[in-house]
Each structure stands twice: as structure tokens, then as C-alpha cells.
């Protein structure tokens, strides 16, 4: 259910010409934050789906610490987003497609496996990966045709 919502959000990003990535934060079974990529439209390099969802969730709770919350995102987070996830103290991260170019959950580096860090988020990858990969492939194929 949660990853399906993230995929719907990724479609919104795609509709705006942004890389199709969507994210949802859930706590106690309730969606408390959502986001989709929009760094191009917002002129903000930090406007990744995860960051936007974390900001909304923190605002909702009135606290930057999102203990016991879970983040579902369609693409493996980058270093920036992985750092934000750790600082937010998320209990769990679930992602769809792996990112062999910037993934920070094991594809390029694994920030979450470093035991020296003071918080440890449980990570699960590959959830609805085929759907996430297909959306990304279609997006980049369309972009190549335009250029």
C-alpha cells in the first residue's frame, strides 16, 4: 500500500518533467509525509522526494526526530537523503529500485551499515522494484528522444 502511494507520487514528478521518484513517511499506520522529486521546478538541489516527505512529516509531528516512523521511496536514496534519514532517526527505510550511480544503501556505498553512526535504520530494498525501474526507464527513454 505505502509503496503504491510512493509510485503515484513518482508519477506526479514525471508529469512535471522531474525524475520520477516518490516518497511516503508512515507512523503508527498513518501517512504523515509525502513528497516527490522537484529540484528542477523549485530550483532547489535538496528537493528530493525523501527530503520533502521528511520535512512534511517533521512539520506534522512538530519534531525533526521521526522515531518509529518508516519511509517508503521508489528509488534507493542518495547520500544526502540517507544522511537526512539517519538524522531524522527513522526506524525503517523501504525502497524500490536500486540506484547504481548514487545509491547510498549498498549500490555505491552503504551509509546504513556503518556501525560508528549513532542511529541505525533498518533497510529493505527491492519492494515493487520492477514498477519503479519501469517508470524510470520510460522517463529516461522519453528524455533521450527529446534531445
Amino acid at each position: 500500500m505505502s509503496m503504491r502511494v510512493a509510485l503515484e507520487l513518482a508519477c506526479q514528478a514525471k508529469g512535471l518533467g522531474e525524475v520520477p521518484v516518490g516518497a511516503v513517511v508512515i507512523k503508527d499506520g498513518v501517512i504523515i509525509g509525502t513528497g516527490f522529486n522537484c529540484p528542477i521546478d523549485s530550483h532547489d538541489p535538496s528537493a528530493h522526494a525523501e527530503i520533502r516527505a521528511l520535512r512534511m512529516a517533521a512539520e506534522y509531528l512538530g519534531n525533526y526526530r521521526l522515531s518509529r516512523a518508516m519511509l517508503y521511496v521508489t528509488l534507493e536514496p542518495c547520500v544526502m537523503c540517507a544522511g537526512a534519514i539517519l538524522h531524522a532517526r527513522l526506524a525503517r527505510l523501504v525502497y524500490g529500485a536500486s540506484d547504481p550511480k548514487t545509491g547510498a544503501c549498498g549500490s555505491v556505498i552503504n551509509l546504513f551499515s556503518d556501525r560508528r553512526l549513532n542511529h541505525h535504520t533498518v533497510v529493505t530494498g527491492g519492494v515493487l522494484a520492477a514498477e519503479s525501474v519501469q517508470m524510470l526507464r520510460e522517463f529516461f527513454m522519453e528524455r533521450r528522444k527529446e534531445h
Side-chain angles (χ1 to χ4, degrees):
M1 167 66 181
S2 303
M3 189 61 84
R4 293 266 177 228
V5 174
L7 283 164
E8 290 172 16
L9 290 161
C11 283
Q12 290 182 37
K14 183 180 178 183
L16 295 173
E18 302 276 0
V19 176
V21 179
V24 177
V25 178
I26 303 232
K27 185 170 183 180
D28 300 326
V30 176
I31 293 176
I32 62 170
T34 61
F36 56 82
N37 267 12
C38 74
I40 298 166
D41 191 53
S42 66
H43 311 290
D44 179 359
S46 70
H48 287 197
E50 301 95 320
I51 300 295
R52 297 181 76 214
L54 291 173
R55 286 178 178 155
M56 182 184 285
E59 183 72 27
Y60 177 88
L61 294 177
N63 192 339
Y64 77 96
R65 289 191 176 177
L66 305 176
S67 303
R68 297 187 336 267
M70 299 170 50
L71 175 70
Y72 291 82
V73 61
T74 58
L75 182 64
E76 179 182 1
C78 68
V79 172
M80 175 183 67
C81 294
I85 290 163
L86 289 169
H87 282 290
R89 310 288 199 277
L90 284 169
R92 186 165 184 217
L93 163 66
V94 178
Y95 69 88
S98 295
D99 186 346
K101 294 187 178 190
T102 65
C105 301
S107 291
V108 176
I109 64 167
N110 192 342
L111 197 60
F112 296 96
S113 69
D114 193 326
R115 293 289 138 206
R116 295 172 295 177
L117 298 173
N118 67 332
H119 178 75
H120 303 286
T121 299
V122 176
V123 178
T124 303
V127 175
L128 297 183
E131 289 91 332
S132 297
V133 167
Q134 184 63 30
M135 189 178 306
L136 288 160
R137 278 192 185 136
E138 288 172 3
F139 174 80
F140 286 112
M141 282 176 40
E142 289 172 17
R143 293 283 298 259
R144 283 188 209 98
K145 287 179 188 175
E146 294 170 4
H147 295 102

